[in-house]
Amino acid sequence: MRAWSCLTVLSCGVLCAQSATVIRRATSEGEIRGAAISREGQIFTWGDRLQLWALPNLKPRSLANGAFGEGGCLVDLDGDGAQELVSKEGSGLGQLTWRKPPDWKPVVIDDGFETHDCMEATLFGRKGILVIQRYMQVRFYERAEEKRWPYREIYSIYTPSRQTGLSMRDVDGDGRADILCGNYWIKSPEAFELPWHIFAINTYSETPQSAMLAHAVVASNLLVGQGHMYDARVTLFTKPEDPRQLWNALPVEGTYHRVHAVTAWNGILLFGENDGASSRIFAVMNGKAIKIADGIDSLQILPGKDGLVSVGPRELVLWRYDRRK
C-alpha cells in the first residue's frame, strides 16, 4: 500500500470530490486518428485530413488532405521555431513523412512503414525522431536532404504482441535518458554508437493487442492502459530497487474498454476510453479509479491553458477538471 500512498499525495493530497465540466464540444468533418498539442497551445489532428484547432473556441482550419494513420508527432527538426508534423501516411504499409508549414507538403522519410508512435528526441546531441516501426523495431531517424533519411536501429522487440507507447526518461538514475516502449524500457548506452539494452517492465504480451499500451509517468511509477483491447487492464507499475527486474504491478480494479488515453496532468493521473458514446474518463485516487465523465471519447487527453481537451475519432471536447474538498 506504500506505493498507492505515494500516488495519493501526488494525485490529490487530500480526499476530495471530483468532476469534469464540459466547456465546449466540436465535431470534426472527417475521421481523426491522432492528435497533439503545439507549443502555442493549439491542437493538431490528423486522419482523413490534417487540421489545426484553435483554443478555446475549437474552430478548425484544414491544413492538408491525406490519409494519415494513428502514428504522428510534432517536431522542430530544422530549428526554425515552427513545429512540423511527422506521421505515417497511406493504408497498410505506407510512408513515414515530414510536413513543414506553411505549405505542409509531404517529404518521404521512409517507406514500407507502419507505426503507432513517434516523438522528437535528441540522442547524444543528435536531433531526430524516435519511432516504432511495424510495432517492433525502435528506430532513430535524423533529418537529411536526400530522399531517405538515415536511421539507427535502437532495438528490435520480438513478442506475440504489438508494442506501443513511447516516451523517454532516466529510468535507472545514471543521468542518461532511457526509452519506455510497450512492455519494456531500453537502457541508454554511454555513447551513440554503443548498443542499447532492453529490460521487461511487465509481461502483458499474451495476444497481438496486449502490449498496445498507453502510459503516463508520475515520479518513478508508470500507469498503463491497454488501448486496443475491449477488456482492458489498467495497472500502476512501481519501479523496484533494481529496475532491470519485473516491476511491481498494482492493478486498478474495474472493467474498462480500450483505454487509449493515459495522462499525467498537474500530478494527477487520468485515463479515458475510446469506446464511442459509452466512453468514460477516470481519475486515479487511493488506488481506485473514480469516474469523472461519461460520453467523452478519448484517443488523447491533452492539457491546454483553458482546460483539458479530449480528442476522439469524430469530436473534440474541452473540459475542466475540478477537485473540491
Side-chain angles (χ1 to χ4, degrees):
M1 297 302 293
R2 185 167 128 198
W4 280 125
S5 298
C6 176
L7 180 61
T8 301
V9 172
L10 288 166
S11 62
C12 197
V14 293
L15 294 178
C16 54
Q18 307 183 56
S19 63
T21 303
V22 173
I23 302 168
R24 188 167 287 108
R25 308 179 87 116
T27 302
S28 174
E29 292 183 4
E31 182 180 358
I32 295 171
R33 301 185 187 95
I37 190 164
S38 72
R39 294 170 183 159
E40 294 75 27
Q42 297 178 304
I43 305 293
F44 281 81
T45 64
W46 51 88
D48 293 341
R49 67 195 72 183
L50 174 62
Q51 296 183 95
L52 179 64
W53 302 74
L55 287 174
N57 59 22
L58 291 182
K59 296 294 184 182
R61 177 163 61 94
S62 182
L63 302 177
N65 293 321
F68 299 88
E70 183 173 350
C73 54
L74 296 178
V75 299
D76 182 9
L77 299 184
D78 59 8
D80 67 355
Q83 287 181 290
E84 311 102 32
L85 176 73
V86 170
S87 63
K88 183 261 180 178
E89 299 190 44
S91 59
L93 291 178
Q95 296 176 321
L96 186 68
T97 65
W98 177 68
R99 289 178 180 255
K100 175 180 171 60
D103 56 18
W104 299 101
K105 292 181 179 179
V107 172
V108 176
I109 298 172
D110 206 347
D111 53 21
F113 224 87
E114 177 62 85
T115 189
H116 184 284
D117 304 271
C118 81
M119 63 174 291
E120 183 175 350
T122 300
L123 303 185
F124 301 97
R126 299 167 179 251
K127 182 187 286 189
I129 55 167
L130 278 176
V131 296
I132 310 173
Q133 158 69 322
R134 301 195 191 186
Y135 305 99
M136 63 179 182
Q137 295 173 317
V138 182
R139 290 182 179 178
F140 177 69
Y141 284 85
E142 295 181 79
R143 181 172 172 251
E145 296 299 331
E146 58 261 30
K147 187 175 182 181
R148 295 295 184 268
W149 295 13
Y151 68 85
R152 163 79 191 276
E153 200 81 69
I154 299 293
Y155 209 94
S156 293
I157 302 170
Y158 298 99
T159 72
S161 182
R162 297 176 171 184
Q163 302 286 322
T164 75
L166 186 65
S167 67
M168 294 190 71
R169 65 185 52 239
D170 183 1
V171 173
D172 56 0
D174 65 359
R176 294 184 294 272
D178 308 299
I179 299 169
L180 294 169
C181 172
N183 296 137
Y184 299 92
W185 71 277
I186 310 174
K187 177 178 171 57
S188 172
E190 295 182 359
F192 183 78
E193 65 275 8
L194 295 177
W196 294 65
H197 296 284
I198 195 167
F199 301 96
I201 295 172
N202 62 68
T203 57
Y204 289 2
S205 58
E206 305 90 343
T207 73
Q209 291 79 36
S210 296
M212 297 186 75
L213 304 173
H215 71 246
V217 178
V218 170
S220 60
N221 301 323
L222 182 73
L223 182 71
V224 305
Q226 293 179 312
H228 292 261
M229 295 192 71
Y230 190 73
D231 292 315
R233 287 176 285 196
V234 178
T235 308
L236 181 80
F237 288 97
T238 63
K239 186 171 68 175
E241 184 175 348
D242 180 0
R244 296 171 298 179
Q245 305 302 315
L246 284 175
W247 292 23
N248 304 310
L250 297 169
V252 180
E253 294 184 4
T255 301
Y256 311 110
H257 310 303
R258 294 172 58 88
V259 179
H260 204 284
V262 179
T263 302
W265 173 73
N266 288 346
I268 305 163
L269 287 170
L270 304 168
F271 65 90
E273 297 173 315
N274 172 215
D275 191 28
S278 299
S279 299
R280 301 162 295 173
I281 297 174
F282 297 87
V284 176
M285 186 178 69
N286 293 334
K288 297 182 179 180
I290 309 300
K291 186 175 68 172
I292 62 172
D294 279 304
I296 299 179
D297 202 346
S298 301
L299 293 169
Q300 297 277 3
I301 298 175
L302 303 171
K305 65 179 182 179
D306 300 293
L308 293 148
V309 180
S310 284
V311 181
R314 293 287 179 180
E315 183 183 48
L316 274 68
V317 180
L318 174 64
W319 52 279
R320 288 199 179 99
Y321 176 62
D322 300 315
R323 293 175 295 164
R324 301 184 305 276
K325 292 183 181 180

